[in-house]
Amino acid sequence: MLDVSVIEDATAAAVSLDPVRAKLLAELAAEPASAAMLAGRVGLPRQKVNYHLKALERHGLVELVGERRKGNVTERLMRATAASYVISPAALAAVEPDPARFRDQLSARWLLAVAARLVRDVGTLITGAARARKRLATYALDGEVRFASAADRAAFVEELTRGVGALISKYHTDDAEGGRDHRVVVALHPTVKPGPPAVDPPAVEKPAVEEPRSE
């Protein structure tokens, strides 16, 4: 089982987003189970669970890991192909974000477009590496920093930009024979604090205003 799998196909994405199938994926990520075992957990008839499992199997989201005989029935033991899944923007290719449309380093929406491209590209690379049975060379740095003021944050961004820019200039070689291009992405955003989801306040109806009528 993979730690994370990227879903690039639109139909597979739709299958995984079905609430019942998402629950089955969660159960099968924890441990292998048969349709009969899952039926009691999700509160559905075994035939209905079988139907959903077949849809998940067709799209490579679950796989057969064994069979066992129970009375006159042979149960198929299934498990999820990954512990978690990420849907690539490639699944919505017609409307996926494109960072090239605009470039604003201080825009949260541009950051989102860059992050979406990162998910798409890394997903494509993982798929290609798996088919070629090769390892994929990547690197990620994840950390947190607390700024005392907005001025400190601005100074940090300026220094970070100079530092990373200097490293890129130092190691980038246009005419390196046999070299391979790499993309560098550095992101900075406020930390999202865990907590209950925000609930929108109830809508307040405004009193209707009667239009004046001409006599």
Side-chain angles (χ1 to χ4, degrees):
M1 179 190 293
L2 300 172
D3 290 332
V4 182
S5 182
V6 181
I7 300 173
E8 299 176 295
D9 178 72
T11 307
V15 167
S16 70
L17 289 172
D18 177 89
V20 173
R21 292 168 183 168
K23 190 171 183 179
L24 292 174
L25 280 176
E27 292 287 343
L28 294 175
E31 61 178 349
S34 66
M37 296 165 65
L38 291 168
R41 300 179 193 174
V42 299
L44 288 175
R46 180 179 58 82
Q47 293 83 353
K48 196 73 173 178
V49 172
N50 250 327
Y51 167 78
H52 289 302
L53 287 177
K54 288 179 180 178
L56 292 169
E57 188 177 12
R58 278 197 304 271
H59 295 283
L61 299 174
V62 301
E63 61 187 357
L64 178 68
V65 293
E67 294 181 337
R68 68 179 185 181
R69 192 76 178 173
K70 194 170 183 180
N72 296 326
V73 179
T74 300
E75 291 187 339
R76 304 174 79 235
L77 294 174
M78 311 297 294
R79 74 171 180 185
T81 53
S84 56
Y85 297 87
V86 175
I87 296 178
S88 169
L92 293 171
V95 291
E96 68 176 301
D98 182 7
R101 290 176 189 157
F102 66 99
R103 184 182 179 89
D104 181 357
Q105 290 178 302
L106 299 179
S107 165
R109 297 189 185 280
W110 188 70
L111 171 59
L112 189 61
V114 171
R117 182 184 61 191
L118 179 65
V119 171
R120 182 201 65 193
D121 290 353
V122 174
T124 300
L125 290 168
I126 288 174
T127 301
R131 287 173 180 168
R133 296 186 178 181
K134 292 183 178 180
R135 295 191 65 182
L136 181 62
T138 62
Y139 167 78
L141 176 65
D142 181 30
E144 290 189 27
V145 56
R146 174 174 290 189
F147 298 109
S149 65
D152 282 353
R153 181 185 182 281
F156 176 88
V157 169
E158 184 179 348
E159 189 172 342
L160 182 66
T161 301
R162 287 200 309 266
V164 175
L167 280 173
I168 291 174
S169 298
K170 178 179 179 180
Y171 288 99
H172 176 68
T173 308
D174 279 321
D175 56 355
E177 186 175 349
R180 182 172 183 179
D181 293 336
H182 286 68
R183 184 177 297 280
V184 180
V185 176
V186 179
L188 178 69
H189 62 80
T191 302
V192 178
K193 297 180 180 179
V199 178
D200 293 333
V204 178
E205 294 186 4
K206 295 181 179 180
V209 179
E210 185 177 352
E211 295 290 339
R213 292 178 297 174
S214 57
E215 298 294 339

